Amino acid sequence: TLPAPEAIAAKKNAKPAVEETFSLINTFTVKEIETHIESLNRTQQLSPAQLKSKCLEVLKGLMTHEHGWVFNTPVDPVELGLPDYFEIIKRPMDLGTIQKRLEAGAYHALEDFRVDVRLTFDNAMMYNEAGSVVHDMAKELTTKFASDYEKLLVRLKEEEEERRSNERACSLCGCEKLLFEPPVFFCNGMNCSSKRIRRNSHYYVGGNNQYHWCHQCFGDLKDTIPMADVTLTKTQLIKKKNDEVHEESWVQCDKCMRWIHQICGLFNTRQNKDQRSEYCCPKCTIEDRRKRGIGEEEGTSTTPMAEDLPRTKLSQYLERHVREKMDQYVKKAAKAKMEAEKISEEEAKQAVDMGGHITIRQVSSMDRRLDVRERMQRRYAFKSYPKEFNFRCKCIVVFQNLDGVDVILFGLYVYEHDEKNPPPNSRAVYVSYLDSVHYMRPRKMRTFIYHEILISYLDYVRRKGFATAHIWACPPLKGDDYILYAKPEDQKTPKDDRLRQWYIDMLVECQRRGVVGKLTNMYDLYFADPKNDATVVPYMDGDYFPAEVENIIKDLEEGRHGKKSGSQGSKKKKGGGQSKSKNKAKAGNRGGTRASGIDEEALSASGIIPPGVEQKSLEAGGRDFVMAKLGETIHPMKESFIVAYLTWEGAKPEHMVVPKEIQEYRDKHGLAVECLQKSKPSPVKEEDNGTSSGKDGDGETKDKDGKEEKESSNKVNGDGDTPMTDAADASTAPSSNKVKSEEEKKEDPTKPPGAGKPSAEDGKTNGNNNAAAAPAPADGKDKESASSNSSNSGDENANKVNQANAT
């Protein structure tokens, strides 16, 4: 696998260095080590409760000051007769608003609080002339705030020094113990497959701690337990209690003999297998380098980082697109700040610059098979419904370099069904899981970057020949997670409507850029037409539909067609459980269904069977009762099942219809979407075999001189699943579906233009569809490893990627 061209050039000019895997410290420059030490200073990193308490103390002194009343409430330009106020003041702020934000936990650092307080007084001094009463009041309070804030920092520093002086505390962070989030165990039993084992309950473990059973499932086990890679006996299982609390390990510096946390010193004990490696803590490393006269901007060893992970065509495409958009964003924001604050261009760029380098990698790509469930197969066998659907599962992760360490911030799982899949899954992609933690710097860039990743992914797959994208906007229930199971305490999980709007905002931007045509939902597309049966609905792994339709068919076969679905209109969690609802139907409620208006309980009691329930009625062309029942169930939450038509080369004109405002936007910016309907659309472009033949994105080979040689039409091109074998592979094949402005006509046609859900199964959780579990290994349970939230030394790939909100 060849690295990117810029990495190749850098390595050619770099001096040989020793590769060191047990610590990242020696790869850092002196400035980076100092930044890392400063990042461990708890003075600037207060818990939400501490931040609120300390800042409110300072704020109270300002609000109760004799001049405080002037700044305690927002300025009302109408009442005060200030018609030009908002023309001069672009970001209004007041002490009362700051108080509300503190109490709501909106501030995450002392600096954020300081900036808003200063903004309050700076606005007053900007609008009011020097020498005026309000200007002088603001100036006086600015001086008082600077004094009070400095006193706060001194107190915090003293508290920090006191903690560090404790011999039992880490000399870097000043804390005695660092406790990890409790580990999550999932039951391997048949009755509650992949459900979490409750905290403080007993469970049984075996197979080198790989397999776990809750107390109930243990009682149902037979004497011999066959697993995927080992056969266990019941007597081998060890009983434990799920109350373990894991503490961060320590390491001693061989120079100063001080003890520090391994994670604070970026020491990876897994790589120190012989226990003989000499370790030098960050402080001693700086001192040693300066004594030896080593340059401040040099490291003394190399350790693989996120940039060194293999690139694929997909990851290269996403990364290039996101970096271009970030550059445009920074330039635009810097220009606005420069004009608003009358500062130099260099100062403006520094003020809005990103906190660290962004790296995007595809860390897994595997072919998987989804077997259609038994009852679904049996009921629709007369229509030759497929027995299985094959798809490709991909995992994409995003890193940001924070204080010299690559930290994973975002994970995305997608399922791709190509044209070889039979309908209804043909040419469909499913955004299965996504999750993030809010450590990105600056935090306000999170939504912008995550949206751009999804936009560029949809642009990539539509160029590959995929026609539709399916999204189930379903946030995890409390206590559940999708990929990253350890979240910051102050990170909130979005509500249904907010997450849904997050996806819609992204897709509307896709429409503007011509990546997406028509936007609709699953209900309007498949369930509104009474002639449709359940075979027209895409059958996706982890989606709501497969398990819920199985439940409905089971009720029909057991003669319970008149029973109202217990899940009607309620939210299901990923993995099959059902959330508690205050609106459950009361016993004896005999209102007609939304689908038919017929009292089915009365029909059942009278012995009358509704049309479409019996197999004969269905085969004779009667309305599919399963489809009607399922439509009735999902109707209250239909907007959460999003379907987007992609502007691929074989798109139909009726699928490209967009709202008037979208078309006006395209016309205004000179964007034209050309969808050339072909009689025989080309197949979805697949990956190459990863050899060094140098295939480019169009399925062509290039000779040494860079000339292109056409291959036969049965060759396939790379889709980003295999590591790139040549820098030329970074480009993607252009399709006849183009979105270009007039200025872009001559540019590279491959240049980019511009989650989480569950299955329902009788209240049980299916192992492969469990949203709480991270998708598991290649044995079909699809858990993929990548770097952890806090990269502990150089062992990025050993930590687990585990999904939740991206908002």
Side-chain angles (χ1 to χ4, degrees):
T1 302
L2 297 179
E6 59 270 18
I8 296 174
K11 289 186 178 180
K12 283 182 180 179
N13 300 323
K15 297 179 180 179
V18 178
E19 182 171 320
E20 194 172 275
T21 57
F22 66 86
S23 176
L24 287 176
I25 286 298
N26 288 331
T27 68
F28 288 10
T29 64
V30 169
K31 184 177 180 181
E32 287 174 336
I33 298 175
E34 290 174 339
T35 302
H36 171 66
I37 294 173
E38 182 62 27
S39 73
L40 299 173
N41 186 346
R42 302 293 171 180
T43 302
Q44 300 291 336
Q45 296 183 14
L46 303 177
S47 69
Q50 288 176 316
L51 185 66
K52 176 181 175 181
S53 172
K54 301 289 185 184
C55 293
L56 280 175
E57 183 181 340
V58 174
L59 188 64
K60 185 178 179 181
L62 297 174
M63 298 182 75
T64 56
H65 188 273
E66 59 178 337
H67 301 325
W69 64 273
V70 178
F71 309 98
N72 287 347
T73 56
V75 173
D76 188 339
V78 176
E79 182 180 344
L80 299 176
L82 310 173
D84 61 344
Y85 185 78
F86 291 123
E87 294 177 8
I88 299 173
I89 304 302
K90 302 301 181 184
R91 286 186 58 212
M93 187 55 64
D94 64 278
L95 301 182
T97 299
I98 294 172
Q99 182 181 26
K100 291 178 182 178
R101 297 191 68 185
L102 274 172
E103 291 171 346
Y107 293 113
H108 305 289
L110 279 172
E111 180 62 17
D112 298 337
F113 167 73
R114 187 192 71 83
V115 167
D116 274 1
V117 174
R118 282 299 306 269
L119 179 63
T120 301
F121 302 132
D122 288 347
N123 284 347
M125 289 189 286
M126 180 187 294
Y127 188 79
N128 297 277
E129 295 180 356
S132 64
V133 176
V134 175
H135 187 282
D136 291 343
M137 287 179 173
K139 189 174 183 179
E140 183 179 339
L141 284 181
T142 298
T143 304
K144 174 177 171 53
F145 173 67
S147 173
D148 292 349
Y149 188 77
E150 185 62 30
K151 290 177 183 177
L152 172 62
L153 293 183
V154 170
R155 287 201 306 272
L156 291 173
K157 189 173 182 180
E158 289 173 353
E159 292 172 7
E160 179 75 8
E161 292 299 328
E162 185 179 349
R163 284 196 299 269
R164 290 174 186 273
S165 64
N166 183 353
E167 293 182 356
R168 299 176 60 86
C170 170
S171 63
L172 292 178
C173 72
C175 297
E176 290 189 37
K177 291 184 178 181
L178 288 183
L179 301 179
F180 286 117
E181 186 79 10
V184 179
F185 301 113
F186 299 94
C187 180
N188 292 101
M190 295 298 292
N191 292 331
C192 58
S193 178
S194 290
K195 278 189 178 179
R196 285 192 182 199
I197 296 175
R198 293 194 311 273
R199 244 343 237 173
N200 298 315
S201 64
H202 287 94
Y203 69 101
Y204 296 82
V205 61
N208 196 25
N209 292 326
Q210 293 184 62
Y211 303 103
H212 308 83
W213 288 268
C214 66
H215 186 74
Q216 181 180 354
C217 290
F218 175 79
D220 297 334
L221 291 175
K222 297 180 181 178
D223 293 334
T224 303
I225 312 164
M227 303 305 293
D229 56 351
V230 67
T231 298
L232 305 173
T233 61
K234 194 170 182 178
T235 55
Q236 291 177 324
L237 303 185
I238 301 171
K239 185 177 182 179
K240 290 186 177 183
K241 190 174 183 181
N242 189 15
D243 60 356
E244 300 175 32
V245 177
H246 293 273
E247 180 184 344
E248 173 64 24
S249 301
W250 298 74
V251 62
Q252 187 179 29
C253 174
D254 291 314
K255 290 191 178 293
C256 66
M257 307 307 292
R258 287 178 294 192
W259 287 91
I260 60 176
H261 295 124
Q262 291 184 4
I263 197 167
C264 296
L266 300 179
F267 180 82
N268 189 348
T269 190
R270 298 178 189 174
Q271 299 294 338
N272 185 31
K273 296 176 182 176
D274 58 2
Q275 301 293 320
R276 296 179 182 176
S277 301
E278 182 177 327
Y279 174 71
C280 186
C281 72
K283 291 182 178 179
C284 291
T285 299
I286 294 175
E287 185 180 340
D288 180 62
R289 285 196 195 174
R290 286 174 175 163
K291 282 182 180 179
R292 291 161 55 193
I294 297 176
E296 297 272 322
E297 299 301 320
E298 296 180 20
T300 58
S301 71
T302 59
T303 300
M305 301 288 280
E307 275 284 340
D308 299 302
L309 291 172
R311 287 174 169 81
T312 65
K313 295 174 184 176
L314 173 58
S315 71
Q316 192 83 345
Y317 190 87
L318 300 183
E319 188 176 75
R320 185 179 65 234
H321 171 92
V322 170
R323 287 181 179 176
E324 287 176 358
K325 289 296 179 182
M326 285 170 56
D327 289 344
Q328 294 173 14
Y329 179 92
V330 169
K331 288 178 182 177
K332 184 177 179 181
K335 184 178 179 181
K337 193 171 187 69
M338 182 177 65
E339 294 174 353
E341 300 183 12
K342 310 300 181 185
I343 58 177
S344 68
E345 184 178 354
E346 190 63 31
E347 289 176 322
K349 284 183 177 179
Q350 289 179 357
V352 301
D353 202 9
M354 288 295 296
H357 194 65
I358 296 289
T359 302
I360 301 175
R361 289 293 181 270
Q362 178 185 334
V363 295
S364 77
S365 177
M366 65 177 74
D367 290 323
R368 293 180 57 191
R369 182 185 71 193
L370 174 62
D371 293 320
V372 177
R373 303 191 185 190
E374 183 182 353
R375 291 185 177 89
M376 180 79 178
Q377 279 190 42
R378 189 167 57 241
R379 179 173 175 85
Y380 299 100
F382 75 98
K383 300 198 74 170
S384 301
Y385 193 73
K387 294 183 178 180
E388 64 185 30
F389 294 98
N390 297 304
F391 63 95
R392 173 152 290 184
C393 171
K394 298 178 182 178
C395 178
I396 298 160
V397 294
V398 177
F399 302 88
Q400 186 178 28
N401 191 278
L402 303 177
D403 304 323
V405 182
D406 286 329
V407 181
I408 183 170
L409 303 177
F410 175 84
L412 169 67
Y413 278 87
V414 291
Y415 299 158
E416 297 178 355
H417 297 253
D418 61 19
E419 90 289 349
K420 297 174 185 175
N421 263 286
N425 284 19
S426 183
R427 297 182 182 270
V429 294
Y430 181 52
V431 178
S432 178
Y433 300 90
L434 63 79
D435 198 2
S436 73
V437 286
H438 64 34
Y439 294 128
M440 180 171 283
R441 299 177 191 167
R443 193 177 295 193
K444 64 182 180 182
M445 290 290 287
R446 291 170 63 220
T447 293
F448 174 81
I449 290 177
Y450 300 156
H451 273 184
E452 290 299 335
I453 290 170
L454 288 169
I455 291 169
S456 57
Y457 172 74
L458 294 179
D459 182 49
Y460 182 87
V461 294
R462 63 107 181 174
R463 293 171 183 270
K464 293 293 181 181
F466 289 93
T468 56
H470 300 259
I471 300 172
W472 181 7
C474 176
L477 298 181
K478 187 176 181 180
D480 287 340
D481 296 288
Y482 287 153
I483 300 176
L484 305 166
Y485 82 91
K487 299 289 195 312
E489 292 181 6
D490 59 336
Q491 180 164 327
K492 299 177 181 179
T493 301
K495 301 297 183 183
D496 294 59
D497 55 347
R498 186 175 179 185
L499 179 60
R500 181 169 61 247
Q501 191 58 49
W502 189 90
Y503 279 116
I504 293 297
D505 291 344
M506 179 272 297
L507 291 169
V508 167
E509 183 61 28
C510 285
Q511 284 185 314
R512 291 195 184 105
R513 300 184 192 180
V515 174
V516 164
K518 181 181 178 181
L519 281 180
T520 183
N521 61 72
M522 194 170 165
Y523 182 88
D524 293 342
L525 189 59
Y526 304 117
F527 295 90
D529 187 349
K531 297 178 182 178
N532 286 338
D533 59 29
T535 62
V536 304
V537 183
Y539 200 90
M540 305 285 191
D541 188 15
D543 197 19
Y544 181 90
F545 170 74
E548 184 64 17
V549 77
E550 200 76 358
N551 292 339
I552 294 173
I553 296 174
K554 180 183 177 183
D555 287 345
L556 293 182
E557 292 177 349
E558 294 176 357
R560 292 184 291 167
H561 55 80
K563 182 179 178 180
K564 286 186 169 55
S565 172
S567 63
Q568 180 173 338
S570 68
K571 173 187 170 184
K572 294 284 186 92
K573 72 174 183 178
K574 211 166 187 181
Q578 180 179 319
S579 66
K580 295 179 180 179
S581 174
K582 296 180 181 179
N583 299 320
K584 288 184 179 178
K586 297 180 181 180
N589 182 354
R590 294 177 57 175
T593 67
R594 182 177 286 102
S596 61
I598 299 173
D599 191 332
E600 292 166 6
E601 291 181 2
L603 284 175
S604 180
S606 65
I608 300 174
I609 300 176
V613 171
E614 288 188 329
Q615 190 73 21
K616 291 181 179 179
S617 173
L618 178 64
E619 294 180 17
R623 185 179 184 187
D624 187 0
F625 185 82
V626 171
M627 195 68 169
K629 198 70 176 176
L630 185 59
E632 171 192 337
T633 302
I634 74 166
H635 187 274
M637 49 182 178
K638 68 175 188 176
E639 299 299 336
S640 295
F641 298 92
I642 304 168
V643 181
Y645 283 100
L646 304 177
T647 56
W648 68 297
E649 63 183 5
K652 298 179 180 179
E654 60 267 27
H655 294 159
M656 296 298 102
V657 177
V658 294
K660 181 180 178 182
E661 57 270 21
I662 297 294
Q663 190 58 52
E664 289 175 350
Y665 177 90
R666 291 177 179 177
D667 295 341
K668 180 180 178 181
H669 292 81
L671 298 174
V673 181
E674 301 174 12
C675 296
L676 304 180
Q677 178 67 51
K678 296 186 177 181
S679 57
K680 293 184 179 179
S682 59
V684 168
K685 298 167 185 177
E686 299 177 351
E687 76 283 1
D688 58 34
N689 57 11
T691 62
S692 57
S693 62
K695 282 186 185 180
D696 71 1
D698 288 313
E700 299 170 354
T701 56
K702 295 189 177 183
D703 61 20
K704 293 181 180 178
D705 296 324
K707 296 178 181 179
E708 298 181 352
E709 178 182 337
K710 288 285 183 179
E711 298 183 337
S712 60
S713 59
N714 60 357
K715 298 276 185 171
V716 295
N717 85 328
D719 75 341
D721 295 334
T722 53
M724 292 175 59
T725 57
D726 194 279
D729 288 346
S731 63
T732 318
S735 69
S736 56
N737 179 5
K738 301 171 183 175
V739 183
K740 293 179 179 286
S741 65
E742 294 301 325
E743 294 77 16
E744 295 172 328
K745 295 289 186 182
K746 298 179 182 179
E747 293 181 0
D748 180 3
T750 67
K751 189 174 181 180
K757 349 1 170 159
S759 70
E761 183 178 2
D762 258 350
K764 299 178 182 178
T765 306
N766 179 283
N768 289 340
N769 295 339
N770 180 16
D779 59 5
K781 295 182 181 176
D782 201 24
K783 281 185 182 174
E784 296 297 335
S785 65
S787 297
S788 73
N789 301 15
S790 52
S791 295
N792 190 354
S793 179
D795 191 25
E796 292 94 349
N797 295 324
N799 298 313
K800 296 287 181 184
V801 177
N802 272 314
Q803 176 181 128
N805 58 23
T807 54

